[in-house]
Amino acid sequence: MEELGGIEWNPLVAQQALTQAVSKCSNYGLKLATKWAAEQLVGIETEGVEGSDELVQETTPTKNNLSTENGAAAPTTPAGLANQIVFAKSLLDLGEYDRAAHILSVDGSPKEYLGGLGLFVRAYSLFLAGEKKKEEEMVELAEPLERSKVLNPNLEKLRSELSGSKELNQLDAFGLYMYGVVLKELLQQEAGSSLEEPPLSLLHMAK
């Protein structure tokens, strides 16, 4: 244990307290407090500290409990990454969509072992970031026809990533819903406002 200003510093106790603070602040709708606590949680290093393995089992905010296609249990989301997912969720709640997606990305792609919640938070953040950019661009256009042509710039990226995650059986029900939203938006873009004869390529990808 370290002493800071005469106060004993125990990273495991701090991690546990901050995890509880994140949960409680989130339950009460205190978004800024949730973000602060989650950001501190991400910065705590407990690897190699005695007792950290036992505490992780109790305090990890989220785990990937999905199964792979062969029935084997999917890898558990590492504790550090789980804390990053909590932090990203707090950013999402505050409308910091690009930053939330960035936290869960490596070189523009989803981090490994995000699990169902992590993949959903990242995809939803990217979708809302694209919608925000779309609205900002539409405000600058006067003609209704021109405004109708403005697209969410992240849809194609999301379609590709979510399609891959779906093939690997990594999406939970919420991730599959997000995938459906993306496909619907792309259908509307390619077929106009009418969905009577949607493009067969997109319907094939939805299967």
Side-chain angles (χ1 to χ4, degrees):
M1 305 296 174
E2 300 180 25
E3 286 197 5
L4 299 175
I7 300 176
E8 188 177 79
W9 164 250
N10 186 326
L12 300 181
V13 173
Q15 182 189 63
Q16 189 174 42
L18 284 168
T19 301
Q20 294 171 351
V22 168
S23 177
K24 185 164 291 187
C25 290
S26 179
N27 288 340
Y28 279 84
L30 304 175
K31 295 181 180 180
L32 287 173
T34 301
K35 173 190 172 184
W36 181 88
E39 192 165 11
Q40 306 313 306
L41 185 60
V42 170
I44 293 180
E45 179 58 60
T46 60
E47 186 176 353
V49 178
E50 184 178 354
S52 60
D53 292 339
E54 290 80 3
L55 190 61
V56 163
Q57 298 299 321
E58 300 175 8
T59 62
T60 299
T62 179
K63 294 182 179 181
N64 178 8
N65 295 319
L66 298 179
S67 297
T68 57
E69 287 185 311
N70 60 12
T76 298
T77 301
L81 183 54
N83 293 336
Q84 292 178 29
I85 293 172
V86 172
F87 182 33
K89 173 61 169 57
S90 71
L91 295 172
L92 171 62
D93 289 340
L94 288 169
E96 298 183 38
Y97 307 130
D98 284 318
R99 189 180 178 196
H102 176 73
I103 291 290
L104 302 180
S105 303
V106 174
D107 297 328
S109 299
K111 289 183 176 179
E112 287 189 289
Y113 308 122
L114 281 181
L117 176 60
L119 289 169
F120 173 80
V121 169
R122 183 180 177 279
Y124 193 32
S125 297
L126 281 173
F127 178 80
L128 292 178
E131 288 296 295
K132 184 177 180 180
K133 292 173 184 175
K134 173 182 170 181
E135 291 176 3
E136 291 172 349
E137 187 175 345
M138 287 175 64
V139 169
E140 300 177 0
L141 300 174
E143 294 294 328
L145 183 59
E146 292 298 318
R147 289 163 61 91
S148 67
K149 294 180 180 179
V150 179
L151 309 178
N152 181 325
N154 292 337
L155 289 179
E156 288 292 348
K157 175 182 178 66
L158 283 168
R159 176 172 67 174
S160 175
E161 291 181 352
L162 291 173
S163 175
S165 297
K166 179 177 179 293
E167 289 297 317
L168 295 173
N169 200 32
Q170 294 174 336
L171 299 180
D172 60 11
F174 296 96
L176 291 171
Y177 171 78
M178 192 69 247
Y179 184 38
V181 170
V182 169
L183 291 178
K184 179 182 176 183
E185 289 291 317
L186 287 169
L187 282 170
Q188 290 177 331
Q189 287 183 11
E190 293 193 15
S193 59
S194 173
L195 299 181
E196 293 180 2
E197 295 182 1
L200 293 178
S201 60
L202 289 178
L203 287 178
H204 175 72
M205 295 189 69
K207 294 181 180 179

